[in-house]
Amino acid sequence: MTEYTDYFGPEGLRTRGTVLVVPGRGETRATYARLGRRLAADAYRVRVVGAPGVDADDLTGSLLRFGGRLGAAAEDSATGEDGLARPLVVVAADTAAAAVAGLVALDEGPSGGRPDAVVLAGIPGHGATHAGSWEDELDVRTSCPAHRGTLTEDSGILRGALDEPVPDALLAAAYGSGTGVPALLLVGDADPLADRDALARAAASLPRARLSVVRGAHHDVLNDLQHRSVAAEIVTFLETVRNELVPVVTVDSSAW
């Protein structure tokens, strides 16, 4: 079984960049099929990798090993004579988002696989855990019937994964990350595991970060009912990164 799941853009179009998607706790690569197809339709090369393993007693080592995996996934995704299609953007959820935030803050690691930007979705807050039945966990994750079905029917899903406490050292690294890599932070305003105040402070402390709050979305903000709007927000961010962080579209006036 391959360790990646790939999604390709429409034939004949130039690839606009490479996106690596990293699942969160309990999720599999199949969880992100819908997002992968949608981003690929906009001519991005999308590769979904496995979730990271984090050893709280060896956080730096864990992050560097994770970075090596991301670097290998990026290099292996290169096609044609031009090599890796830049920009390289990592989209990660839950504890994987925290791991990516901690990773890009390190000065060490493989430079070839270093992302040009990151999308960090649903970073949990300190002490945030879920306890209850599978139906309770689904309620924490999403209100989207299609996504609930995808999670329930996937035999690879690790039920109860949200019960696992997130290492404090990992969250401290994520919230204290001083990286200058452009970052889009995504959080649902109905996410019971999120600490929106901490996210707002983290976003405000970074030189090139944007915090987008998704109305009505739960913990699985990339796959909740608002998934079309969230995907559009990601594509807008990708295009802004391609345009050297100058927004392609600005709003001069609005009746809203």
Side-chain angles (χ1 to χ4, degrees), residues 1 28 37 61 65 86 90 118 162 215 228 236:
M1 182 178 180
T28 71
R37 289 192 299 266
R65 288 188 290 274
R86 293 275 182 175
V90 178
V118 295
L162 296 184
R215 185 180 304 167
R228 293 176 181 83
T236 297

PDB file of all heavy atoms in Angstrom, residues 1 28 37 61 65 86 90 118 162 215 228 236:
ATOM      1  N   MET A   1       0.851  -1.199   0.000  1.00  0.00           N
ATOM      2  CA  MET A   1       0.000   0.000   0.000  1.00  0.00           C
ATOM      3  C   MET A   1       0.883   1.245   0.000  1.00  0.00           C
ATOM      4  O   MET A   1       1.795   1.375   0.817  1.00  0.00           O
ATOM      5  CB  MET A   1      -0.921   0.001   1.218  1.00  0.00           C
ATOM      6  CG  MET A   1      -1.884   1.179   1.275  1.00  0.00           C
ATOM      7  SD  MET A   1      -2.965   1.072   2.713  1.00  0.00           S
ATOM      8  CE  MET A   1      -3.949   2.555   2.485  1.00  0.00           C
ATOM      9  N   THR A  28      -7.446   9.261   8.507  1.00  0.00           N
ATOM     10  CA  THR A  28      -6.651   8.596   7.485  1.00  0.00           C
ATOM     11  C   THR A  28      -6.547   9.517   6.270  1.00  0.00           C
ATOM     12  O   THR A  28      -7.175  10.570   6.199  1.00  0.00           O
ATOM     13  CB  THR A  28      -7.285   7.269   7.053  1.00  0.00           C
ATOM     14  OG1 THR A  28      -8.485   7.532   6.298  1.00  0.00           O
ATOM     15  CG2 THR A  28      -7.637   6.399   8.262  1.00  0.00           C
ATOM     16  N   ARG A  37      -9.332  16.621  -4.054  1.00  0.00           N
ATOM     17  CA  ARG A  37      -9.891  16.785  -5.405  1.00  0.00           C
ATOM     18  C   ARG A  37     -10.199  18.249  -5.697  1.00  0.00           C
ATOM     19  O   ARG A  37      -9.958  18.734  -6.817  1.00  0.00           O
ATOM     20  CB  ARG A  37     -11.162  15.942  -5.553  1.00  0.00           C
ATOM     21  CG  ARG A  37     -10.936  14.440  -5.602  1.00  0.00           C
ATOM     22  CD  ARG A  37     -12.186  13.706  -6.048  1.00  0.00           C
ATOM     23  NE  ARG A  37     -13.300  13.913  -5.139  1.00  0.00           N
ATOM     24  CZ  ARG A  37     -13.603  13.087  -4.133  1.00  0.00           C
ATOM     25  NH1 ARG A  37     -12.865  12.009  -3.915  1.00  0.00           N
ATOM     26  NH2 ARG A  37     -14.638  13.326  -3.347  1.00  0.00           N
ATOM     27  N   GLY A  61      13.336  15.841  18.089  1.00  0.00           N
ATOM     28  CA  GLY A  61      13.625  14.703  17.221  1.00  0.00           C
ATOM     29  C   GLY A  61      12.402  14.270  16.436  1.00  0.00           C
ATOM     30  O   GLY A  61      12.498  13.963  15.245  1.00  0.00           O
ATOM     31  N   ARG A  65      12.115  14.346  12.358  1.00  0.00           N
ATOM     32  CA  ARG A  65      11.776  13.139  11.582  1.00  0.00           C
ATOM     33  C   ARG A  65      10.534  13.401  10.727  1.00  0.00           C
ATOM     34  O   ARG A  65      10.458  12.971   9.565  1.00  0.00           O
ATOM     35  CB  ARG A  65      11.563  11.955  12.519  1.00  0.00           C
ATOM     36  CG  ARG A  65      12.856  11.432  13.146  1.00  0.00           C
ATOM     37  CD  ARG A  65      12.635  10.146  13.903  1.00  0.00           C
ATOM     38  NE  ARG A  65      11.876  10.332  15.126  1.00  0.00           N
ATOM     39  CZ  ARG A  65      12.410  10.673  16.303  1.00  0.00           C
ATOM     40  NH1 ARG A  65      13.714  10.870  16.396  1.00  0.00           N
ATOM     41  NH2 ARG A  65      11.641  10.797  17.372  1.00  0.00           N
ATOM     42  N   ARG A  86       6.666  24.911  -7.201  1.00  0.00           N
ATOM     43  CA  ARG A  86       6.544  25.859  -6.090  1.00  0.00           C
ATOM     44  C   ARG A  86       5.422  26.837  -6.371  1.00  0.00           C
ATOM     45  O   ARG A  86       5.119  27.111  -7.527  1.00  0.00           O
ATOM     46  CB  ARG A  86       7.874  26.607  -5.912  1.00  0.00           C
ATOM     47  CG  ARG A  86       9.027  25.732  -5.437  1.00  0.00           C
ATOM     48  CD  ARG A  86       9.031  25.592  -3.944  1.00  0.00           C
ATOM     49  NE  ARG A  86      10.163  24.792  -3.467  1.00  0.00           N
ATOM     50  CZ  ARG A  86      10.443  24.605  -2.177  1.00  0.00           C
ATOM     51  NH1 ARG A  86       9.676  25.136  -1.245  1.00  0.00           N
ATOM     52  NH2 ARG A  86      11.469  23.871  -1.813  1.00  0.00           N
ATOM     53  N   VAL A  90       2.067  23.395   3.024  1.00  0.00           N
ATOM     54  CA  VAL A  90       1.605  22.289   3.859  1.00  0.00           C
ATOM     55  C   VAL A  90       0.290  22.674   4.520  1.00  0.00           C
ATOM     56  O   VAL A  90       0.198  23.720   5.178  1.00  0.00           O
ATOM     57  CB  VAL A  90       2.646  21.909   4.923  1.00  0.00           C
ATOM     58  CG1 VAL A  90       2.109  20.778   5.810  1.00  0.00           C
ATOM     59  CG2 VAL A  90       3.961  21.482   4.279  1.00  0.00           C
ATOM     60  N   VAL A 118       2.142  27.772   5.116  1.00  0.00           N
ATOM     61  CA  VAL A 118       1.423  26.701   5.809  1.00  0.00           C
ATOM     62  C   VAL A 118      -0.025  27.115   6.045  1.00  0.00           C
ATOM     63  O   VAL A 118      -0.336  28.298   6.201  1.00  0.00           O
ATOM     64  CB  VAL A 118       2.087  26.344   7.155  1.00  0.00           C
ATOM     65  CG1 VAL A 118       3.477  25.753   6.935  1.00  0.00           C
ATOM     66  CG2 VAL A 118       2.157  27.550   8.091  1.00  0.00           C
ATOM     67  N   LEU A 162      -9.549  11.545  19.748  1.00  0.00           N
ATOM     68  CA  LEU A 162      -9.606  12.873  20.362  1.00  0.00           C
ATOM     69  C   LEU A 162      -9.556  12.811  21.884  1.00  0.00           C
ATOM     70  O   LEU A 162      -9.452  13.847  22.546  1.00  0.00           O
ATOM     71  CB  LEU A 162     -10.865  13.619  19.907  1.00  0.00           C
ATOM     72  CG  LEU A 162     -10.946  13.945  18.415  1.00  0.00           C
ATOM     73  CD1 LEU A 162     -12.195  14.769  18.122  1.00  0.00           C
ATOM     74  CD2 LEU A 162      -9.700  14.677  17.934  1.00  0.00           C
ATOM     75  N   ARG A 215     -17.668  30.400  10.491  1.00  0.00           N
ATOM     76  CA  ARG A 215     -18.928  30.445  11.230  1.00  0.00           C
ATOM     77  C   ARG A 215     -19.617  29.078  11.218  1.00  0.00           C
ATOM     78  O   ARG A 215     -19.865  28.498  10.160  1.00  0.00           O
ATOM     79  CB  ARG A 215     -19.849  31.499  10.633  1.00  0.00           C
ATOM     80  CG  ARG A 215     -21.140  31.723  11.405  1.00  0.00           C
ATOM     81  CD  ARG A 215     -21.987  32.787  10.729  1.00  0.00           C
ATOM     82  NE  ARG A 215     -21.245  34.034  10.559  1.00  0.00           N
ATOM     83  CZ  ARG A 215     -21.648  35.041   9.781  1.00  0.00           C
ATOM     84  NH1 ARG A 215     -22.767  34.924   9.100  1.00  0.00           N
ATOM     85  NH2 ARG A 215     -20.933  36.140   9.708  1.00  0.00           N
ATOM     86  N   ARG A 228     -16.769  24.037   1.234  1.00  0.00           N
ATOM     87  CA  ARG A 228     -16.557  24.775  -0.021  1.00  0.00           C
ATOM     88  C   ARG A 228     -15.942  26.145   0.247  1.00  0.00           C
ATOM     89  O   ARG A 228     -15.003  26.563  -0.431  1.00  0.00           O
ATOM     90  CB  ARG A 228     -17.874  24.920  -0.779  1.00  0.00           C
ATOM     91  CG  ARG A 228     -18.444  23.606  -1.301  1.00  0.00           C
ATOM     92  CD  ARG A 228     -19.797  23.815  -1.960  1.00  0.00           C
ATOM     93  NE  ARG A 228     -20.346  22.562  -2.446  1.00  0.00           N
ATOM     94  CZ  ARG A 228     -21.022  21.694  -1.698  1.00  0.00           C
ATOM     95  NH1 ARG A 228     -21.223  21.963  -0.407  1.00  0.00           N
ATOM     96  NH2 ARG A 228     -21.483  20.573  -2.206  1.00  0.00           N
ATOM     97  N   THR A 236      -7.554  31.012  -2.171  1.00  0.00           N
ATOM     98  CA  THR A 236      -7.223  32.438  -2.150  1.00  0.00           C
ATOM     99  C   THR A 236      -5.864  32.660  -1.503  1.00  0.00           C
ATOM    100  O   THR A 236      -5.045  33.459  -1.983  1.00  0.00           O
ATOM    101  CB  THR A 236      -8.309  33.222  -1.396  1.00  0.00           C
ATOM    102  OG1 THR A 236      -9.554  33.088  -2.089  1.00  0.00           O
ATOM    103  CG2 THR A 236      -7.954  34.699  -1.297  1.00  0.00           C
TER     104      THR A 236
END
